Amino acid sequence: MIIVKRKPLEEILEMTKDFKKLLILGCDGCASIIQVGGERQARILKLLLEMGQKIKGNGKLKAQAISILRQCDRQIATSSLDPIIAEYDAVVSLSCGVGVQTIADLYKGKLIIPAINTHFLGMHDTKAEKFYEMCLACGDCLLFETGGVCPLTRCAKSLLNGPCGGQASGKCEVGGWQNDCAWVLIYNRLKARNQLDLFGKFRMPRDYRVSGHPRELGGEKENEEGKT
Amino acid sequence: MRREAHSKLMKQINEGNFVFTGELEPVKTTKLDEVIEGARILKDHVVAINITDNPTAFGYMNALVPSYMIQREAGVEAVYQMTTRDRNRLGLISDVLAAGALGIKNILALTGDHTTVGDTPQAKPVFDLDSATFVYMLRKMMDEGVDLNNNQIEDPPKFSIGIAAAPNADPLEPELLKIKRKVDLGIDFIQTQCVYSAEQAQNFLEAASFLKTPILIGIAPFKSISMMDWMIKFVPGIKVPKEIEEILRKAKKIGGKQAVYEANVEIFGEMLKEIRKTTTAAGIHTMAIGFEWIVPKIIERAGL
């Protein structure tokens, strides 16, 4: 899922200080699953902003907290927001950057204020205490040959032909020897499966056009292999 | 497969001579005097000198200029170190062509330490290529006379290509398999990070013998105790035997800086002698940054 984190309250207060009627918009997608941007968090943020602006002497803020199923879905967003959005001066979005931009695109005259920083595509550990980046959305998946470990994402240098000399006992020098060396993980997985031939394979320079910004997908006619 | 040697370094290795190489570090300066002076000190004792490329991700003078200058001013062959950390493939092609134009004979193809371990950790790391894909590009440029997209190169360059190896890597097998990829692509020699005993060298050389590629064993004497402590703490894969550590610390206590130098000559002289006698190393790569004068003394002590 998309891993997000709420911005510091001070920053959100500063961005919202000129508005009297705010819609605090939660998202029940990824942001809600990791308990950063769901309905509950929207309600908490509403209270914090109302209190904060009062303390700062910015006058009385009237905010309403709601949550919608997905901010990144145009249909869901319009059916929920069309009837009510005109009542508000601005929207504070508790969604990832995709959600914020979808709402901003739907309501171009309205200011959409991001209350969240979008970090990465990741998963959490077994205790759900920490999140780990897993995928760069590179558009050219090679997990089949790397034992289900993405070197582009999990190697600090995104090496296609690792490991480098910066690993010791399977740990990476980047980040002070805390993180696993992705290439040692790959080696261990492939070795256990008797697939070291895949480890030894030389991987050609990547075509970075595949992941060059801004990317688009679909709209073209695809042939039988699914390639355009 | 043995390729044609394009450098004095490779010719000597191919002729079976036990070679010595040196290393110089152009730092954060616009002055070339120190590098040229260092090259003059090393000149009669080594066959070639590495010029480092923003080592440990510190922003220093571009390595190509001093590589050229030590050849021109000191008359000693350069091993131009190139990392893929700071340039994308376009930048690498430019610099490789420029190196060819300036008569550089050796390139050491490196991935490079990560930007975050250096003196400008906010920098965007490039790593468009890694050391393997860089070797692939170099071979294409040299052997086929084209770049990665098969565009013709007028008067393609000729280099001998080296790569680095981490002899104390743990686990070692992925390191060896990684080197094997590059050996298969076509490299001429391997240069190791520093070892601190003949045994470390021997173990690696035995494990790497299947690569059938000349290996220069890296040694790095300690300029000071604080440098030793820094290396032990921060450089991955450095394994300094307790005995060496103690001898150097004792030397410092009793006789200060000069005694540390003398202890270095003794320790590394003995180690070299042992490596020469008991291993299949093709030579020794010496890294004595800032005290190059110690290299001839160590070689002399080893009786080589």
Side-chain angles (χ1 to χ4, degrees):
Chain A
M1 68 193 111
I2 298 174
I3 308 300
V4 297
K5 196 178 169 200
R6 212 196 70 197
K7 284 176 176 288
L9 183 62
E10 201 56 43
E11 191 182 337
I12 308 172
L13 282 168
E14 179 62 26
M15 289 189 289
T16 54
K17 69 175 194 281
D18 296 329
F19 302 100
K20 297 291 165 253
K21 286 184 81 181
L22 281 180
L23 178 65
I24 316 293
L25 186 60
C27 178
D28 293 338
C30 311
S32 167
I33 298 166
I34 61 171
Q35 298 176 26
V36 177
E39 196 188 346
R40 193 167 155 262
Q41 288 76 32
R43 274 191 276 123
I44 293 168
L45 183 61
K46 166 190 141 75
L47 292 174
L48 289 171
L49 289 180
E50 284 174 347
M51 255 191 307
Q53 299 299 13
K54 197 173 164 191
I55 291 165
K56 284 178 172 288
N58 289 334
K60 191 168 164 59
L61 167 68
K62 216 175 151 250
Q64 162 100 23
I66 66 160
S67 184
I68 64 173
L69 199 57
R70 299 266 186 283
Q71 290 192 24
C72 59
D73 186 309
R74 300 178 85 91
Q75 253 112 37
I76 291 171
T78 44
S79 64
S80 309
L81 297 177
D82 271 358
I84 57 165
I85 192 130
E87 296 168 34
Y88 302 98
D89 302 337
V91 177
V92 176
S93 167
L94 283 141
S95 177
C96 68
V98 183
V100 173
Q101 290 181 70
T102 304
I103 306 298
D105 193 50
L106 286 170
Y107 305 103
K108 293 192 177 68
K110 204 62 79 179
L111 180 66
I112 315 298
I113 297 163
I116 269 175
N117 288 320
T118 307
H119 287 263
F120 50 80
L121 305 184
M123 68 169 191
H124 54 64
D125 59 10
T126 46
K127 292 180 199 154
E129 282 172 352
K130 248 182 120 173
F131 297 97
Y132 298 93
E133 186 174 20
M134 290 288 142
C135 177
L136 285 187
C138 75
D140 189 12
C141 192
L142 49 64
L143 285 168
F144 170 74
E145 54 186 62
T146 56
V149 174
C150 176
L152 251 67
T153 314
R154 296 169 72 182
C155 165
K157 298 178 183 175
S158 290
L159 298 183
L160 289 171
N161 295 287
C164 73
Q167 75 87 12
S169 305
K171 295 289 177 187
C172 176
E173 69 177 346
V174 177
W177 309 107
Q178 299 299 307
N179 302 328
D180 290 328
C181 165
W183 276 100
V184 172
L185 291 179
I186 293 167
Y187 164 77
N188 288 336
R189 293 248 186 114
L190 292 175
K191 188 178 172 137
R193 268 186 237 148
N194 214 9
Q195 284 186 308
L196 278 184
D197 53 323
L198 283 177
F199 185 91
K201 185 185 155 185
F202 168 64
R203 290 171 187 84
M204 292 282 277
R206 260 176 60 80
D207 181 350
Y208 276 94
R209 288 174 301 183
V210 179
S211 34
H213 307 300
R215 286 179 271 179
E216 293 174 12
L217 203 60
E220 345 61 351
K221 210 173 160 216
E222 300 200 344
N223 66 20
E224 279 173 21
E225 284 82 40
K227 286 181 180 161
T228 53
Chain B
M1 186 189 93
R2 276 283 160 91
R3 267 168 298 275
E4 188 195 339
H6 298 298
S7 66
K8 215 161 105 185
L9 170 63
M10 265 329 286
K11 279 190 189 109
Q12 291 227 8
I13 292 174
N14 287 350
E15 281 164 17
N17 295 332
F18 191 79
V19 299
F20 289 95
T21 54
E23 183 158 307
L24 293 167
E25 192 174 287
V27 291
K28 216 179 279 288
T29 177
T30 56
K31 286 204 173 79
L32 282 161
D33 320 12
E34 260 182 55
V35 168
I36 293 167
E37 183 51 31
R40 287 195 176 117
I41 291 168
L42 289 170
K43 189 191 167 182
D44 295 331
H45 311 279
V46 300
V47 57
I49 299 174
N50 280 231
I51 302 290
T52 56
D53 175 15
N54 290 352
T56 60
F58 278 54
Y60 290 161
M61 184 194 294
N62 179 319
L64 180 55
V65 173
S67 293
Y68 169 69
M69 291 299 280
I70 62 160
Q71 296 198 156
R72 199 185 79 174
E73 299 295 315
V76 54
E77 192 171 278
V79 178
Y80 172 34
Q81 292 194 359
M82 292 184 79
T83 75
T84 64
R85 175 194 54 232
D86 308 321
R87 286 160 286 199
N88 66 10
R89 62 194 85 175
L90 281 172
L92 288 167
I93 290 170
S94 296
D95 287 350
V96 168
L97 292 174
L102 291 176
I104 302 301
K105 304 295 182 196
N106 305 286
I107 287 178
L108 193 77
L110 304 166
T111 299
D113 296 312
H114 197 270
T115 44
T116 53
V117 303
D119 72 351
T120 313
Q122 303 85 352
K124 181 178 184 180
V126 179
F127 302 117
D128 176 21
L129 300 185
D130 56 31
S131 56
T133 46
F134 183 30
V135 168
Y136 171 78
M137 184 178 88
L138 285 166
R139 285 257 70 92
K140 244 179 117 80
M141 291 176 79
M142 287 157 50
D143 300 343
E144 298 168 40
V146 295
D147 66 14
L148 282 170
N149 288 305
N150 298 316
N151 299 306
Q152 287 294 324
I153 296 167
E154 188 190 337
D155 203 2
K158 296 279 176 220
F159 305 103
S160 290
I161 305 296
I163 57 162
N168 292 321
D170 170 28
L172 186 61
E173 195 182 16
E175 175 74 15
L176 292 169
L177 292 172
K178 170 194 81 175
I179 298 169
K180 173 76 164 47
R181 290 191 202 110
K182 293 184 258 193
V183 168
D184 291 345
L185 288 168
I187 54 143
D188 299 294
F189 68 98
I190 297 167
Q191 184 174 299
T192 77
Q193 303 288 3
C194 34
V195 301
Y196 286 97
S197 71
E199 197 192 345
Q200 288 173 11
Q202 174 66 7
N203 290 345
F204 179 73
L205 288 161
E206 269 174 27
S209 63
F210 75 105
L211 298 166
K212 300 192 174 19
T213 304
I215 297 177
L216 307 180
I217 294 292
I219 65 149
F222 296 114
K223 196 180 176 191
S224 64
I225 301 298
S226 56
M227 179 219 173
M228 176 172 76
D229 290 337
W230 184 86
M231 299 244 332
I232 293 170
K233 201 168 167 198
F234 292 113
V235 183
I238 295 285
K239 284 179 186 160
V240 183
K242 275 274 162 264
E243 195 193 336
I244 292 180
E245 218 185 305
E246 275 160 25
I247 292 172
L248 287 169
R249 281 189 208 287
K250 207 177 275 173
K252 166 84 183 180
K253 229 180 209 169
I254 296 167
K257 219 171 174 181
Q258 191 54 39
V260 173
Y261 289 144
E262 281 161 21
N264 264 300
V265 172
E266 188 65 26
I267 291 165
F268 289 94
E270 271 303 306
M271 193 191 301
L272 253 58
K273 200 166 153 186
E274 188 74 12
I275 291 172
R276 176 74 179 106
K277 209 167 75 186
T278 62
T279 77
T280 56
I284 300 288
H285 173 57
T286 62
M287 294 167 267
I289 305 296
F291 65 137
E292 292 77 20
W293 52 265
I294 204 164
V295 172
K297 291 191 191 312
I298 291 171
I299 296 173
E300 191 190 353
R301 173 66 184 76
L304 299 169

